[in-house]
Amino acid sequence: MGANTSQVSDLSESQSIRTLIGPDAISENEPFWNQLISFTFSSPTCSADARLLEEAVIPLAKTLIQNNHRSGNFGALVRVFLSRTKELKISTECQDQLFIWQAHNALFLVRCLLKVFIREMNEEELHLQFSYQERPPGTYDSICEDLLEELVCNLVHLIVEVPLLDITYNILFEAVTILLVLLSYQLFHKEVLREGLIYGYLTRGRCLSLTSRLVKTLLYNFIRQEKCPAATHVLQTQSDGGGLLYGLASGVASGLWSVFTLGGVGSRPGAEQDQNPLPLSNQSLLLLLVLANLTDGPDCPNPYRQAVTCFKNTQDSSSIPSPQPHTFQINFNSLYTALCEQQKSDQVTLLLYTLLHQNNNMRTYILSRTDMENLVLPILEILYHVEERNSHHVYMALIILLILTEDDTFNRSIHEVMLKNISWYTERVLTEISLGSLLILVVIRTIQFNMTRTRDKYLHTNCLAALANMSAQFRNLHQYAAQRIISLFALLSKKHNKVLEQATQSLRGPLGADDTTVLPDYAQDLNVIEEVIRMMLEIINSCLSNSLHHNPNLLYALLYKRELFEQFRSHPSFQDIMQNLDTVIGFFSQRLEQAGSDLSVERVQEVIQKGATALPKERLKKFPELKFKYVEEEQPEDFFIPYVWSLVFNSGVGLYWDSQGIELLGMDSP
């Protein structure tokens, strides 16, 4: 790169770059290094720019690989960076922007080269690239240094020690990004990696003692949602008198500090950049998710997962020491607010799932909030736009609802929160509706979408489990929510009859068909539909048995469509559960007959209201309480590790990977 480089096209022509990748060794004390890391090149912020940069770097990195065993220049570049990290904190306190800027540039160069190295070689070969160094003839190393481990540890130290300020934003972003790059070996393996050099450095080596601080810092980077500083903040302290330092720095720094604000690499502002206005926040969250989902080692659990599962609220004054290692405190209110505000991205939904499922302290705090609508509404909006979301994001949103509905207090309180004018719900104008009724509407809509499109049994199961958990606490259901419950049952009934008819016809067999004709497995389809119908009947029964007098609208909808249920009365799979529905339908039908004919809607509702308090509860058969609990599958890493890396692949700021060779995500198939 060098002092004058500012375009991708300049890279191969840069004398400094050609010297770096050439066969001749350059001593770490040479003035060359100061020249090399004083460049105006802006880091890419979008995938298109990152691709241009990577394509330019690949041939240069390959040349360095060929020459590095003789020159040791890659190791020298790493040591030049490491020598500067020791003074970064002091430089920050002294506002030494030039020093920080040069350290950033050195790290950026290391990252660009490492990105290609990791694609071209395995970890052992990468380790060798760090070990090569120039030695005068006849001399030997007195200290066997592991430069790769030194780099990893220094990056972690940098992230946790250097405060987040305008002048440190970019180097902190680069440190987080290079750790993601170092961990990206997983992308090139179909199977989940359970060991490795970098894995060992982070989970067992010198970094282990910094686990809780790293997790806390990454969480705070996410919470703070800091935008990249504007270029105008740079070098203001030195702009009053010029001088040698300002004269040197102003020409080379102007491009760097527009890293994220101007786009870099000669790009045009586009939609993709608009989606990443918070690069450090985004990248920190991705790194946190990657670390938290590393597999447990054969002799030690993943320390980052331990830290994620046991951290506490700063408001928790409990003096009881935590038995868990790597625990720390963080402001739960700030974290909750960030989770509510950023729910539209996959990675924030995945973080919320992780905290709800694994951190008891955070789950208890979330369930105690009196403003749950701020968290639940974004989740419902994700599900409402199911056709626009990837299936993993939808699963995470559904599982979050399922975990929340395991709590009875949540199930009661959502019916007390009234909402007005939900703009994203476009199927019907909802001027006023409870959060509970809206949740029911969205979950039922998801079930119906799944029935007509994806036909995913796993999706059905989670939707129905959430409804079942809530059913005993259904309160004052909105008229439309009550109608949709019965409409869903009508749809299932229709589908049941259709599959039953197809199954009957297939048993008779078409005329002229031979014995080898392959027929659809209608019996299996019928079994699945009957399971769903059974669950819907149990949900309706649970509501009627536990809160009949609180749900006149559901009773009205049930009576209005009572003929739907007649065909299931004698069905062996539903006879027991149909007894209660028959009792309720019979009781209210009789009352309506006694009230006369041609009743108005208002009169019917009045009869229902009075009858709800008059129906003897002992006439309804008791069934076990409907309660479902989310349990992770065995070996959850087989799902979560590819998912997390798909987020890095698609959402990492300024990172680009050619899909060829990406085996983890199934992209390398011919």
Side-chain angles (χ1 to χ4, degrees):
M1 289 186 180
N4 297 315
T5 300
S6 60
Q7 298 286 331
V8 168
S9 57
D10 296 336
L11 283 177
S12 59
E13 303 301 320
S14 165
Q15 183 56 51
S16 297
I17 291 291
R18 287 162 68 182
T19 303
L20 172 69
I21 66 175
D24 298 327
I26 309 158
S27 167
E28 293 159 42
N29 302 317
E30 290 279 342
F32 163 83
W33 296 106
N34 272 334
Q35 181 188 5
L36 178 72
I37 60 177
S38 298
F39 56 80
T40 61
F41 199 89
S42 297
S43 301
T45 58
C46 69
S47 181
D49 290 347
R51 179 175 185 171
L52 286 174
L53 176 61
E54 178 135 328
E55 288 171 350
V57 169
I58 285 171
L60 305 173
K62 287 183 175 179
T63 302
L64 179 59
I65 291 168
Q66 292 171 0
N67 293 323
N68 190 46
H69 68 283
R70 291 195 297 275
S71 71
N73 284 343
F74 178 71
L77 171 63
V78 172
R79 280 188 286 273
V80 165
F81 165 71
L82 293 176
S83 69
R84 282 164 164 74
T85 60
K86 296 175 178 65
E87 298 174 46
L88 268 177
K89 198 171 181 183
I90 297 169
S91 300
T92 303
E93 292 166 1
C94 300
Q95 295 281 302
D96 188 347
Q97 298 174 2
L98 181 61
F99 186 90
I100 296 167
W101 163 65
Q102 287 185 322
H104 165 276
N105 285 359
L107 186 55
F108 176 64
L109 278 173
V110 172
R111 190 249 286 189
C112 290
L113 293 167
L114 272 178
K115 185 89 166 27
V116 181
F117 285 10
I118 285 168
R119 189 174 201 106
E120 296 292 319
M121 60 187 75
N122 61 36
E123 275 191 316
E124 289 70 26
E125 292 165 333
L126 178 72
H127 196 241
L128 274 178
Q129 294 295 329
F130 278 84
S131 67
Y132 297 135
Q133 65 183 94
E134 182 206 16
R135 297 184 187 88
T139 63
Y140 299 92
D141 278 344
S142 56
I143 299 173
C144 186
E145 172 191 45
D146 187 339
L147 196 59
L148 177 54
E149 182 177 20
E150 195 69 24
L151 174 63
V152 171
C153 291
N154 270 268
L155 289 170
V156 173
H157 267 281
L158 193 163
I159 292 167
V160 302
E161 293 282 355
V162 175
L164 174 53
L165 307 169
D166 281 1
I167 59 171
T168 60
Y169 189 102
N170 292 322
I171 194 166
L172 288 169
F173 170 81
E174 203 56 56
V176 170
T177 302
I178 199 170
L179 282 177
L180 273 176
V181 168
L182 283 165
L183 288 159
S184 68
Y185 268 111
Q186 178 62 79
L187 279 171
F188 304 99
H189 292 81
K190 197 170 187 66
E191 72 284 357
V192 169
L193 296 181
R194 300 176 187 278
E195 261 300 344
L197 275 173
I198 293 149
Y199 175 97
Y201 295 149
L202 286 166
T203 59
R204 291 190 299 274
R206 288 154 47 197
C207 297
L208 186 61
S209 62
L210 295 172
T211 295
S212 59
R213 290 182 65 194
L214 179 57
V215 170
K216 183 176 183 175
T217 303
L218 294 175
L219 272 173
Y220 267 126
N221 286 350
F222 162 68
I223 288 168
R224 289 176 65 174
Q225 302 286 309
E226 292 281 354
K227 293 185 178 179
C228 187
T232 51
H233 294 155
V234 179
L235 299 170
Q236 284 178 342
T237 55
Q238 297 160 330
S239 61
D240 50 353
L244 178 62
L245 178 60
Y246 181 66
L248 284 172
S250 61
V252 289
S254 58
L256 172 78
W257 299 104
S258 62
V259 165
F260 302 111
T261 52
L262 298 183
V265 201
S267 72
R268 64 199 181 286
E272 188 174 2
Q273 286 163 275
D274 294 339
Q275 292 167 7
N276 291 313
L278 307 164
L280 180 60
S281 173
N282 180 78
Q283 221 83 325
S284 296
L285 178 52
L286 290 173
L287 178 58
L288 176 63
L289 291 171
V290 167
L291 291 172
N293 284 282
L294 292 173
T295 57
D296 291 333
D299 53 354
C300 63
N302 173 1
Y304 300 97
R305 185 181 296 121
Q306 286 182 312
V308 164
T309 60
C310 66
F311 67 78
K312 297 180 178 180
N313 193 354
T314 48
Q315 306 301 313
D316 182 2
S317 56
S318 168
S319 59
I320 303 170
S322 171
Q324 295 284 348
H326 314 300
T327 191
F328 61 91
Q329 288 187 308
I330 200 165
N331 188 310
F332 277 15
N333 182 57
S334 301
L335 180 54
Y336 177 82
T337 302
L339 287 167
C340 292
E341 290 175 350
Q342 302 294 320
Q343 251 337 292
K344 287 186 180 178
S345 79
D346 276 77
Q347 46 266 43
V348 180
T349 306
L350 180 54
L351 175 63
L352 174 58
Y353 158 80
T354 303
L355 296 178
L356 273 173
H357 178 55
Q358 298 183 5
N359 189 308
N360 290 331
N361 303 320
M362 191 68 195
R363 181 170 63 249
T364 301
Y365 175 83
I366 287 173
L367 288 166
S368 71
R369 294 286 299 209
T370 55
D371 59 348
M372 279 295 291
E373 66 273 17
N374 292 335
L375 188 75
V376 175
L377 279 172
I379 296 294
L380 296 183
E381 192 173 352
I382 291 166
L383 292 175
Y384 186 78
H385 296 113
V386 58
E387 62 276 4
E388 299 167 17
R389 302 285 177 180
N390 69 69
S391 60
H392 287 10
H393 199 183
V394 172
Y395 284 151
M396 289 298 103
L398 264 179
I399 293 167
I400 286 167
L401 287 186
L402 178 55
I403 292 171
L404 292 173
T405 61
E406 291 170 14
D407 183 77
D408 284 341
T409 305
F410 170 83
N411 294 331
R412 281 191 297 273
S413 65
I414 54 174
H415 293 288
E416 296 164 7
V417 178
M418 298 308 295
L419 309 166
K420 293 189 177 180
N421 300 316
I422 308 300
S423 58
W424 47 263
Y425 195 96
T426 56
E427 284 165 288
R428 177 166 170 155
V429 177
L430 300 172
T431 52
E432 188 172 60
I433 188 170
S434 71
L435 180 59
S437 288
L438 182 65
L439 197 159
I440 292 165
L441 282 175
V442 173
V443 171
I444 286 175
R445 186 180 183 275
T446 307
I447 293 172
Q448 290 181 322
F449 174 83
N450 188 43
M451 284 174 65
T452 55
R453 305 278 185 89
T454 50
R455 301 182 70 189
D456 184 330
K457 188 180 177 183
Y458 185 80
L459 203 71
H460 264 0
T461 303
N462 283 292
C463 286
L464 291 166
L467 287 176
N469 283 347
M470 293 190 292
S471 59
Q473 270 89 30
F474 282 174
R475 293 288 187 278
N476 303 314
L477 292 189
H478 190 279
Q479 180 184 6
Y480 186 51
Q483 288 172 9
R484 298 304 291 164
I485 290 172
I486 304 303
S487 295
L488 175 58
F489 188 83
L491 184 66
L492 290 165
S493 175
K494 187 176 177 182
K495 197 169 180 65
H496 177 269
N497 294 341
K498 184 179 178 182
V499 173
L500 192 61
E501 185 182 336
Q502 289 171 332
T504 306
Q505 287 178 352
S506 71
L507 288 172
R508 292 176 186 151
L511 291 173
D514 59 45
D515 292 338
T516 60
T517 304
V518 178
L519 297 172
D521 191 355
Y522 291 115
Q524 186 177 353
D525 283 358
L526 197 62
N527 186 47
V528 170
I529 292 168
E530 288 184 353
E531 281 180 14
V532 177
I533 288 174
R534 169 81 192 189
M535 183 72 101
M536 282 303 297
L537 288 171
E538 289 184 351
I539 288 167
I540 295 168
N541 176 67
S542 172
C543 175
L544 297 178
S545 301
N546 292 283
S547 53
L548 182 130
H549 57 291
H550 289 301
N551 289 290
N553 285 330
L554 183 61
L555 274 170
Y556 185 96
L558 180 68
L559 292 167
Y560 189 73
K561 293 282 188 180
R562 53 186 176 269
E563 73 281 354
L564 280 173
F565 298 88
E566 289 176 6
Q567 63 173 307
F568 300 107
R569 189 175 294 155
S570 57
H571 194 293
S573 299
F574 312 124
Q575 273 181 325
D576 59 337
I577 203 81
M578 278 301 301
Q579 286 178 22
N580 279 355
L581 269 72
D582 271 347
T583 300
V584 171
I585 290 170
F587 178 83
F588 283 96
S589 296
Q590 186 179 15
R591 290 220 156 204
L592 289 170
E593 284 172 16
Q594 290 170 355
S597 57
D598 297 327
L599 300 177
S600 65
V601 173
E602 291 75 17
R603 178 68 180 127
V604 171
Q605 288 174 333
E606 185 186 336
V607 172
I608 288 172
Q609 288 277 19
K610 289 181 178 177
T613 56
L615 175 65
K617 283 197 172 182
E618 60 273 12
R619 289 177 59 182
L620 299 179
K621 182 183 175 184
K622 291 282 184 187
F623 283 88
E625 186 183 14
L626 284 182
K627 274 296 169 189
F628 294 88
K629 188 174 177 63
Y630 169 70
V631 179
E632 268 188 355
E633 301 276 344
E634 284 187 28
Q635 295 185 303
E637 63 271 17
D638 291 342
F639 171 85
F640 285 103
I641 288 178
Y643 180 33
V644 169
W645 277 105
S646 75
L647 299 181
V648 177
F649 183 88
N650 292 309
S651 308
V653 179
L655 288 172
Y656 166 78
W657 281 275
D658 185 343
S659 58
Q660 186 177 2
I662 303 295
E663 293 190 13
L664 181 69
L665 309 180
M667 292 181 164
D668 198 40
S669 53

